[in-house]
Amino acid sequence: MIAGDLEYVMTSLPHLFLKDTDRERSRVISIFQRYAGSEEKKENIITLFEEEMDKFLSAKESETLQQIRLQTVHQPIFQKSKIDVLRRFSIYCSRLKKDLYQLRTARKSGKEIATTLESIKDLEPGTPLEEEIQLIQWQWDKLEELMIGHYSDFEAVILFKLKLCVLLRWWSFDEQKGFERFLNLTEPGHGR
């Protein structure tokens, strides 16, 4: 495991790139497996990250870090956070989520899409997977913007975790399974 202080730990973590290649996946996963002390151990890398950070954070910081999930970061509790980067990313994700809902509702009903949907005005129409990858890119870009000035503080830890979550979300996409799910959802009689 790692010894030292938070600054040392943050600089020893893998630099994350928004890439979906076997080589990139292998590089990031192998580093976290080394943190776990075994190449055989197949733990969730988010859990490994949280456990490693727990050694250097206060109990309150550790609890906050463990509560952060990409699926829930848009919730009001995070929008009201005293932690600036968390609050700003939460507000960004909330706005994105609301605008996407309006866009998808308008598309489904065949209505004109509102031009006031600022957060998604540049969304290029495409397959659901292509659009989801665009959203991931935007979230990544927002996190990169928020990283400025944060290298080894608690906010850097939060941003690293969020970037790792975004990356893992992208890596979890399976085009074949997604297409099968799409076909099942669009089958006549589905949802009755």
Side-chain angles (χ1 to χ4, degrees):
M1 302 303 208
I2 297 176
D5 59 12
L6 186 59
E7 183 176 3
Y8 175 78
V9 173
M10 290 304 295
T11 59
S12 69
L13 292 171
H15 185 77
L16 301 177
F17 300 96
L18 189 60
K19 292 182 182 177
D20 186 15
T21 63
D22 290 338
R23 183 177 182 173
E24 186 64 13
R25 288 180 191 203
S26 177
R27 181 184 71 83
V28 171
I29 291 169
S30 68
I31 290 171
F32 278 100
Q33 285 175 335
R34 276 185 252 142
Y35 288 160
S38 168
E39 292 293 321
E40 300 298 317
K41 207 170 182 181
K42 298 284 185 192
E43 284 190 53
N44 177 316
I45 61 177
I46 295 292
T47 302
L48 293 172
F49 174 72
E50 290 171 346
E51 287 172 358
E52 197 58 39
M53 291 301 108
D54 192 44
K55 299 172 189 175
F56 303 95
L57 301 174
S58 69
K60 182 176 172 122
E61 289 172 332
S62 186
E63 181 182 347
T64 299
L65 184 66
Q66 290 180 21
Q67 290 174 348
I68 299 169
R69 296 284 181 255
L70 193 57
Q71 301 88 336
T72 58
V73 75
H74 66 281
Q75 293 178 345
I77 189 171
F78 297 113
Q79 292 178 42
K80 297 173 185 172
S81 176
K82 293 180 181 175
I83 304 165
D84 183 58
V85 295
L86 180 56
R87 181 181 63 254
R88 290 172 58 195
F89 188 69
S90 178
I91 291 167
Y92 174 79
C93 287
S94 177
R95 180 79 260 155
L96 194 60
K97 191 172 185 72
K98 287 176 186 172
D99 286 355
L100 280 169
Y101 175 78
Q102 288 182 335
L103 173 69
R104 289 175 177 156
T105 301
R107 282 180 178 172
K108 189 175 183 179
S109 67
K111 293 182 181 176
E112 186 68 30
I113 297 170
T115 57
T116 58
L117 304 177
E118 184 63 30
S119 72
I120 58 169
K121 68 179 174 27
D122 295 327
L123 183 67
E124 293 285 330
T127 67
L129 178 60
E130 291 167 342
E131 289 184 3
E132 198 63 37
I133 291 171
Q134 287 178 70
L135 297 172
I136 284 173
Q137 179 69 57
W138 293 350
Q139 289 174 328
W140 187 270
D141 292 346
K142 184 65 173 179
L143 291 168
E144 286 281 312
E145 173 191 318
L146 293 171
M147 285 289 300
I148 296 170
H150 299 285
Y151 306 103
S152 61
D153 57 5
F154 181 55
E155 290 185 330
V157 172
I158 289 171
L159 292 166
F160 186 91
K161 180 180 178 180
L162 286 167
K163 286 177 79 173
L164 190 57
C165 289
V166 168
L167 195 56
L168 291 174
R169 174 158 167 67
W170 187 23
W171 291 353
S172 74
F173 292 159
D174 182 321
E175 193 170 355
Q176 183 62 35
K177 285 181 184 176
F179 183 67
E180 289 169 9
R181 185 169 180 218
F182 171 77
L183 290 177
N184 288 336
L185 289 172
T186 57
E187 262 180 15
H190 180 78
R192 283 189 215 182

